[in-house]
Amino acid sequence: PGTRVIQTVVVAGGGGGGGDPPNGAGTGGGGAGGLICKEISVEGNTPYSAVIGAGGAGAPASQANGTNGVNTSFACEVAIGGGGGATYSATGNPGGSGGGGGGNGSNAGGSGTSCQGNTGGTGYGAPQRRGGGGGGAGAVGTTAGLCQAGNGGVGLNKDISGSGISYAGGGGGGSYYAPNVPGNVLPAGLASPCGTGGRGSVSGVAPVSAQAGTTNRGGGGGGGGSTNAPATVAPAAAGGSGIVVVKELN
């Protein structure tokens, strides 16, 4: 009985990476799920429910954005699901953190939610056509460049459970391969350096699928990619599910 003060970490599901048809362009990485870390007051004899958001699906091999992650809620706090990464010619979805932009032009990343996440990175146009990285809880997704697709935005490390755990990193953008473009076989976007987003896909003669965001960490899924000769696809990946962690302080 009586009022209690608790520390909470509430993380939504991460967004899925953008889809890419054969001979398309690199797509955006999924944005991380929104992250809330704060002290709140609760009544000791009152039950509180936690609803954990699932990660969004990576888009299939078609011209479609990834699916946004699902919100996570606890008591009065609601973390917003991460935005889906963009297909090759679109902007990233808004969310807790925004999805990365597509690589068929300088397509912008989606916006993040204030105090929960950050904006996704912008894509890089022809001839390299690389996708932008999804935003993370700690930083924006990296804008794609001449030599590499965008990296996922950094996540945040929280030690509420007694040991430091990283949450809510953005997914890396996907790449595109065209044999007639010198030096076009280059890395996809990397997973966030301190977080849980998935690596973007690697295109080429033997394409490598993107990696999914980590389960129960709210990471964004890696973006998809493609090759024009032969016409192949490196599939996008799903975002990771969210989590609620609670610690009583008094």
Side-chain angles (χ1 to χ4, degrees):
T3 301
R4 306 287 185 182
V5 178
I6 60 174
Q7 180 74 45
T8 62
V9 172
V10 182
V11 183
D20 196 17
N23 194 23
T27 70
L35 185 151
I36 300 171
C37 182
K38 64 189 298 186
E39 295 179 9
I40 62 174
S41 296
V42 296
E43 294 301 317
N45 59 353
T46 301
Y48 294 89
S49 62
V51 179
I52 309 300
S62 63
Q63 193 172 346
N65 282 17
T67 303
N68 281 22
V70 179
N71 296 351
T72 291
S73 61
F74 174 74
C76 58
E77 305 299 331
V78 180
I80 305 301
T87 186
Y88 68 90
S89 59
T91 58
N93 292 352
S97 283
N104 191 28
S106 297
N107 295 294
S111 60
T113 300
S114 178
C115 300
Q116 295 192 19
N118 289 282
T119 301
T122 301
Y124 188 91
Q128 281 74 23
R129 299 183 182 179
R130 308 189 190 287
V140 299
T142 301
T143 293
L146 178 66
C147 295
Q148 186 168 305
N151 294 340
V154 65
L156 290 175
N157 189 282
K158 301 295 179 182
D159 62 0
I160 183 174
S161 60
S163 60
I165 295 176
S166 294
Y167 299 97
S175 64
Y176 172 75
Y177 172 55
N180 61 329
V181 178
N184 194 251
V185 183
L186 293 166
L190 301 177
S192 52
C194 176
T196 52
R199 173 192 45 74
S201 62
V202 181
S203 57
V205 177
V208 180
S209 299
Q211 291 177 337
T214 304
T215 301
N216 298 333
R217 298 292 183 267
S226 65
T227 299
N228 73 347
T232 57
V233 170
S241 56
I243 193 170
V244 173
V245 185
V246 176
K247 179 180 180 181
E248 185 175 356
L249 300 180
N250 69 343

